[in-house]
Structures are given as C-alpha cells and as structure tokens.
Amino acid sequence: MKPNAIPDKEKAETRARIVDLKRNSLDDGPGIRTLIFFKGCPLRCVWCHNPETKHTYEELMFDAKVCISCGDCAASCKEHAIDPADPRRIDRQACTRCMDCVDVCPSGALKRAGRLYTVDALYSEIMKDEPFYRYSSGGVTFSGGEPAVYIHFISELSRKLKSAGIHLNIETCGLYNHALFDNLVLPYLDMIFFDIKFIDPVLHKQYTGSTNDIIMKNFLSLHSKNNIPLIPRVPLIPGITATEQNLASIAAFLSGHGIKKVELLAYNPLWTDKSSGLGHKLDYDRKKFMDKEEIVMIKQIFSNFDTGKF
Ligand code: SF4
Ligand code: SF4
C-alpha cells in the first residue's frame, strides 16, 4: 500500500489539514487538553478508529442518522452523484468533492472532513483554551491520523506553543522520518504516546499496510534517549492485535526494555459508521465492544504493568 504523501503545496505553504479540534479532553495526557486531529496517515490499519483522518485530502461525510430526507443535496449536485434512495447515498466515483451539497444541507448530515489551517490560525484557536491548560497543568496533544505527516508544520506550531509555555504531547503511529522528527519536533515535546500494534512484521504489514521495522527503530531510539515520558499504546482489536500471542509478544518486548507502563486502548465499534459515511470499504466490521473474557485475558497478560484506567 502506498504511503500517503504530503501534498507539496501544503508543505511549502506550511498549512495542514485538520479534521477536528477536541477541547476539554482528559484522556490524552495530563490535565485539560486540546486534541488536534491531523488529516493523513502513512498506515492503513483495517480497524482505523478515525477513518476520516486516513487521507490528506478533504472528504465528504454523510451521517444518515441526522438526515431529514429533504432532497436538497440531490437537487444541488451537478454531477448527479446523490441518490436519496440509495443507503450509501453518494456515488463516490461520480462525486468531485465540490461540497455544494454540504452548503445546502440544512441538518448537518453532510459535512466536510478536513479543513486547511495555517500555523497562525491553528495557534490562535488553540490559545483560546490557554486558561484551562494553565489551571489544570494541561496542554495540547497532536493526534490524527499521523501528525508527523505535517512535520514542518508541527515543528513551527510546537515552537510557538512552547514559547507560550504550553505542555505538548504527540500521539504517533511511529512511521516518520527519524532525523526530521528528532531535529524539528522532539526538542519541543514534553511526552509521547507511541503506538505498538504488533511485534511480528508480517502481521504488521498484513493489517496496517506497512512493515514495522522503521516504527520499532524509532521507538527504541526514543526509548534510549530517555529524556521525556514515552508511553507505548496498544490498540486492542479483537482477533487482530488483541490475540493472546500478539499481546504476549508486546508485553515481552516492553518488559525486555524495562518498560513498566503501557496504555491499552479498548476496541470501540462506533468507527464502522464513520467509515461507511465516508464511503470507505470496511475490511473489518466487528460491531460489538470487548467482552468480559477478552478483558480478563488482556489484564492477565499485562498484570506486571501499570495500565492506568484499563
Ligand atoms: S460534493 Fe459535489 S459532486 Fe459530490 S455529492 Fe456533493 S454536490 Fe455532488
Ligand atoms: S440535504 Fe442533508 S438533510 Fe437533506 S436529504 Fe440531503 S443529506 Fe439529508
């Protein structure tokens, strides 16, 4: 699978496409935080919980639950790409992503996924929450997608935020250019959440579209520096990452490097609706949350670790 390239224009103009700013988060680092969801990722995890952040380009999202069936979207579409009788609603082959239908939709059922920001515009948005960071010892967490897709952008944004005394965290899939990351971003960070999905490179390639050799090297490089908290995070995907064998191999790898803390991210099936609303193909479609037996097995494997709230 081809990595998702950074559009040259966006890189040159130091703009980044953002899907969402989630304010008042309590789960992605210390204190009250603002999460920035960057749009674009070099991986193609079959279970991606944020499918609207996979691609760097703007996408059209449809939410059938809030559609009032007025038909305004179909009437506005010059490409005749909308069929109100079709449960998928949009013919993605015919759609040119002009977004005319979004502008006429009265209910918000049609939405743009992704908006371009300059560093200054995003900085201004983030700083609206500055009092919350100050009083809660919180800060900002870069998420996605993969924030390092926009490495020059996050470097400049981080420089500005750090000058304002803001605590910075990044959630990364680990597939980034090591030299650029170390030089341009790492000096500004206060902590890192680093995804570890598989130890076996064959499984990693099978389920994410990419092997994990660079990811593991990047993880160990950060671990060896030992200068800021580096928290491995494991997405628990039943039958894929959350198998006894895979989790045991991750636990052994972390123990072998003296790591005692891990974040375990429980499976949430709600992403499947978002993926359908974007017209993405579903390669994995478990609809139920994790059951008691699965959780007991996972707790047992990580019984020697600090797993926080899990
Ligand atoms: S984005 Fe444009 S082309 Fe696509 S469905 Fe909407 S109106 Fe039609
Ligand atoms: S314009 Fe919006 S609310 Fe009306 S039919 Fe289209 S998607 Fe539904």
Side-chain angles (χ1 to χ4, degrees), residues 20-26 32-37 117 122 124-130 132-133:
D20 198 13
L21 266 83
K22 185 179 161 204
R23 302 179 192 275
N24 302 321
S25 166
L26 297 170
I32 298 174
R33 309 192 71 81
T34 300
L35 252 76
I36 317 291
F37 290 92
Y117 280 82
L122 190 53
S124 300
E125 276 302 312
I126 290 170
M127 290 306 282
K128 289 177 185 168
D129 292 338
E130 192 271 340
F132 295 102
Y133 314 145

Side-chain angles (χ1 to χ4, degrees), residues 61-64 66-76 82 84 89-90 101-102 104-110:
M61 284 185 91
F62 173 62
D63 184 349
V66 292
C67 173
I68 56 172
S69 301
C70 66
D72 289 357
C73 52
S76 76
I82 300 183
R89 186 62 54 112
I90 296 142
C101 55
V102 175
V104 299
C105 176
S107 71
L110 286 164

Side-chain angles (χ1 to χ4, degrees), residues 136-170:
S136 70
S137 301
V140 172
T141 300
F142 301 141
S143 185
E146 171 52 55
V149 163
Y150 301 95
I151 206 154
H152 298 279
F153 182 98
I154 56 169
S155 175
E156 178 57 11
L157 180 62
S158 300
R159 187 190 64 73
K160 288 184 71 129
L161 290 168
K162 198 38 68 186
S163 301
I166 308 293
H167 181 280
L168 294 178
N169 184 15
I170 190 170

Side-chain angles (χ1 to χ4, degrees), residues 35 38 47 62 79 99 105 114 120 130 140 143 158 250 282 293 300 303:
L35 252 76
F38 287 84
W47 65 83
F62 173 62
E79 309 298 331
M99 303 294 167
C105 176
D120 286 347
E130 192 271 340
V140 172
S143 185
S158 300
I250 292 174
L282 281 182
E293 287 73 32
Q300 176 66 32
S303 57

